[in-house]
Amino acid sequence: HGYTRVDDGSIVLSPADQATLDGMLLERLLAKRAREFAKADELRQKLRSAGVIIDDGANTYRVVPPEPPKQSQPARPTHHGYTRVDDGSIVLSPADQATLDGMLLERLLAKRAREFAKADELRQKLRSAGVIIDDGANTYRVVPPEPPKQSQPARPTHHGYTRVD
């Protein structure tokens, strides 16, 4: 392949690893000569992620500690971060607490994704179930839920009077 190692040799490769490296360098060189640049770039990236830095201009390579894997997205939170601050007089079953925690987490994720309509809808559902959220303090309180509103009797559409002239 014609490449020379130019690092300090502090990272020792086994004969099998050295043979694999030499094979990849040769495969990359042949791909470049065949003008298969996508394949050559893919091999270069594989070598880089394994800790091999190539300098094509000088026909050299260095072996460095491999890069840690990168996370493509920030880790999804598993907890909502809110703390209950009421007196605890309303006791929630474990299932109800799990549902509440799930809704608080879903609301947090909606806010982070800038889906504010969804976050507002979840806040309203929580409120109607008796959960008051304070986003500034990252707290919530559980209060007795609001009773359902009684619908007003239908307003008459006709007054029932007859005009007499």
Side-chain angles (χ1 to χ4, degrees):
H1 54 71
Y3 286 88
T4 305
R5 184 172 175 174
V6 294
D7 58 48
D8 62 4
S10 62
I11 298 177
V12 179
L13 299 176
S14 71
D17 287 343
Q18 185 64 51
T20 301
L21 172 60
D22 289 337
M24 288 179 77
L25 287 170
L26 179 60
E27 186 180 356
R28 183 173 178 274
L29 179 66
L30 293 174
K32 284 175 35 179
R33 285 185 181 164
R35 304 187 64 79
E36 295 173 357
F37 298 116
K39 183 177 180 181
D41 289 344
E42 179 184 328
L43 286 165
R44 180 186 191 107
Q45 186 55 42
K46 283 182 181 178
L47 287 163
R48 178 64 187 113
S49 64
V52 178
I53 300 173
I54 301 170
D55 181 352
D56 287 319
N59 279 352
T60 60
Y61 69 91
R62 294 180 295 127
V63 180
V64 298
E67 296 176 343
K70 294 180 182 177
Q71 291 184 345
S72 60
Q73 296 179 350
R76 178 187 158 128
T78 57
H79 191 268
H80 50 72
Y82 287 86
T83 305
R84 184 172 176 176
V85 294
D86 58 37
D87 61 5
S89 62
I90 298 178
V91 179
L92 299 175
S93 71
D96 288 343
Q97 185 64 52
T99 301
L100 171 61
D101 289 337
M103 289 179 75
L104 287 169
L105 178 60
E106 186 179 354
R107 183 171 175 272
L108 173 72
L109 294 173
K111 285 176 23 179
R112 285 190 180 175
R114 304 187 64 76
E115 297 173 358
F116 299 116
K118 181 178 180 181
D120 290 346
E121 178 185 329
L122 286 164
R123 181 187 191 101
Q124 187 54 43
K125 284 181 180 178
L126 287 163
R127 177 66 185 111
S128 65
V131 179
I132 312 291
I133 301 170
D134 181 350
D135 286 319
N138 277 355
T139 60
Y140 69 94
R141 294 180 295 122
V142 179
V143 298
E146 296 175 350
K149 294 183 179 180
Q150 297 290 329
S151 61
Q152 298 284 337
R155 292 183 82 180
T157 57
H158 187 354
H159 51 69
Y161 293 102
T162 306
R163 182 175 178 169
V164 177
D165 287 330

